[in-house]
Amino acid sequence: MKKMNKKNNTLKEIAQILMASKSVLLFTHINMDGDTLGSSVALCIALRKLGKQAHILIEDDIAAFLQFLDRDYCTYDTHIIENPDICLCIDCGDVERFTKRKEKFFQGKQKGCIDHHVTTEPFADFNYIDPKAAATGEIVFDLIKELQVDMDKEIGNAIFAAITTDTGNFQYSNTTKKTHLIAAELCDYGVDYNEISVELYQNNRLEKLLLQTKVLQGLTVFAAGMAAICGVTQEMFQETQGKMEETEGMIEILRNISGIEVAVFVKEIEENKCKVSMRSKKFVNVAELSKTLNGGGHARAAGCTVYQSYEETKKTMIHLVEEYLKG
Ligand code: 5GP
Ligand code: MN
């Protein structure tokens, strides 16, 4: 096996690799968020503008609020490009986050990774991992410049969607001057912030609200008021007709409570399998915490999968957070 490149490449080098290729298959992470999809769409458009065969290979449904981004870029068809010159994963630093497409990814003649998660251990032939980037969309913005592709409104919209969603609309601690400068520049390409914000944030189904009401009824505050946990079960989905993707953002409601440092959200995927999300406000490193359960992410937003029942998972998480806060 070829030795993995542990060091970051430069964006210039990555641009050269992409320019020398004919076909590029882009990979998002599962449970697609605005950043993985927006960044992939922006890069896919740019690559097509350069005459490359480019597609985004996905394995799960695109959440309703993000569907406006996909104008025939995404596909479930692993044969869309038989022997891709390049397979490039975007906003995804863990091969387990594209499990069903893993085999296809490693069939790429060259494999690359563009990401901003601090827990990412390079696994590709070329890498650009910048934990200081608020969103992978920021890195893709710079990469498109290196590719010397003219930005346009559609690329701008996709980058804006990536950045606004990963920064909690410019409020999280990952937001920097650069984040704002990029957003400002996107204005020059015709991006209408309000238009995209309406698509992303003012588009909820009533069922989402019913689900949210039920979820919040299960809220528990613990660790002397410093932590809060709640979650969603399969039963709640049946009762409200809400969807898993509609739980997006509910964890923020917990973190927004005054005095709360750690928020935990447990999603029952199936019997004895829960997806856990964690957020912190000021000082707890939740990336570290979720790493103890084989997950990862960022200091203020991370996650993991726990193979226990919903109730057991909640207990496990309460114990973990309590112990951490004691220490
Ligand atoms: P979310 O809670 O929104 O699913 O994820 C928050 C952050 O943690 C995201 O940046 C996501 O990539 C990361 N994350 C969530 N779950 C996992 C996981 O199981 N493994 C790793 N490595 N990162 C995760
Ligand atoms: Mn991201």
Side-chain angles (χ1 to χ4, degrees):
M1 216 166 98
K2 228 167 35 178
K3 214 167 156 263
M4 292 304 148
N5 185 356
K6 289 279 178 196
K7 222 178 80 227
N8 260 351
N9 294 80
T10 63
L11 286 180
K12 200 183 185 84
E13 284 166 349
I14 296 182
Q16 279 164 354
I17 296 170
L18 289 171
M19 279 192 284
S21 73
K22 286 200 175 70
S23 58
V24 183
L25 194 55
L26 301 167
F27 288 67
T28 56
H29 64 70
I30 47 166
N31 307 320
M32 279 180 281
D33 59 14
D35 190 25
T36 195
L37 187 63
S39 301
S40 300
V41 165
L43 189 54
C44 189
I45 300 170
L47 290 167
R48 286 186 187 181
K49 278 187 158 190
L50 287 169
K52 313 293 174 196
Q53 190 189 8
H55 295 275
I56 305 166
L57 185 64
I58 59 173
E59 68 183 57
D60 48 5
D61 293 342
I62 302 174
F65 77 105
L66 295 174
Q67 278 170 11
F68 74 99
L69 290 170
D70 178 31
R71 297 205 187 152
D72 215 14
Y73 306 115
C74 295
T75 178
Y76 298 95
D77 180 7
T78 52
H79 297 290
I80 191 95
I81 307 175
E82 278 308 341
N83 292 299
D85 289 335
I86 295 172
C87 283
L88 184 56
C89 63
I90 305 290
D91 192 41
C92 179
D94 182 348
V95 293
E96 294 315 318
R97 301 199 77 212
F98 52 93
T99 348
K100 288 186 198 152
R101 294 160 292 162
K102 195 158 117 182
E103 198 184 322
K104 183 74 188 183
F105 180 82
F106 286 101
Q107 280 168 12
K109 289 174 203 149
Q110 284 189 87
K111 278 78 61 185
C113 173
I114 296 178
D115 186 29
H116 69 135
H117 292 96
V118 356
T119 44
T120 297
E121 290 286 341
F123 54 83
D125 305 318
F126 62 90
N127 300 283
Y128 193 88
I129 298 152
D130 178 9
K132 288 202 181 72
T136 299
E138 288 188 4
I139 306 171
V140 167
F141 177 87
D142 288 343
L143 178 59
I144 291 174
K145 293 223 154 162
E146 285 292 348
L147 289 167
Q148 294 181 0
V149 173
D150 284 335
M151 296 270 179
D152 59 27
K153 183 173 179 179
E154 201 189 354
I155 294 179
N157 283 348
I159 301 272
F160 184 72
I163 292 176
T164 172
T165 52
D166 250 30
T167 57
N169 207 15
F170 304 90
Q171 29 162 342
Y172 300 158
S173 58
N174 55 357
T175 310
T176 63
K177 177 177 173 181
K178 180 171 177 173
T179 316
H180 285 284
L181 286 174
I182 292 175
E185 190 176 328
L186 294 179
C187 212
D188 297 339
Y189 312 125
V191 171
D192 181 335
Y193 304 141
N194 181 249
E195 182 190 314
I196 305 303
S197 301
V198 169
E199 290 282 358
L200 293 169
Y201 304 121
Q202 300 175 11
N203 219 351
N204 293 336
R205 296 190 314 143
L206 184 61
E207 287 82 352
K208 174 176 171 159
L209 205 67
L210 297 176
L211 181 65
Q212 185 167 302
T213 306
K214 206 162 260 301
V215 161
L216 292 178
Q217 279 164 359
L219 174 69
T220 305
V221 174
F222 62 100
M226 283 176 72
I229 188 168
C230 70
V232 69
T233 61
Q234 289 301 323
E235 201 184 327
M236 292 182 199
F237 291 123
Q238 280 155 17
E239 286 169 356
T240 60
Q241 298 301 306
K243 296 182 193 165
M244 186 61 93
E245 66 186 56
E246 289 172 327
T247 62
E248 183 77 32
M250 290 187 193
I251 189 170
E252 317 301 344
I253 301 173
L254 271 60
R255 177 167 61 181
N256 290 348
I257 303 169
S258 121
I260 292 292
E261 171 60 23
V262 183
V264 184
F265 196 89
V266 178
K267 300 181 227 172
E268 183 186 41
I269 307 294
E270 56 193 55
E271 222 189 319
N272 296 322
K273 183 178 178 188
C274 293
K275 181 80 204 149
V276 176
S277 291
M278 275 186 268
R279 301 288 184 270
S280 62
K281 196 177 276 169
K282 289 181 181 165
F283 57 89
V284 171
N285 186 335
V286 285
E288 251 175 42
L289 258 176
S290 35
K291 252 188 136 174
T292 64
L293 296 169
N294 296 317
H298 312 281
R300 299 284 169 267
C304 58
T305 302
V306 176
Y307 294 90
Q308 291 175 346
S309 73
Y310 177 72
E311 290 302 332
E312 282 166 353
T313 303
K314 274 174 62 175
K315 279 187 203 146
T316 299
M317 295 314 299
I318 289 174
H319 182 72
L320 188 75
V321 172
E322 269 176 344
E323 289 302 305
Y324 188 93
L325 286 173
K326 263 188 223 159

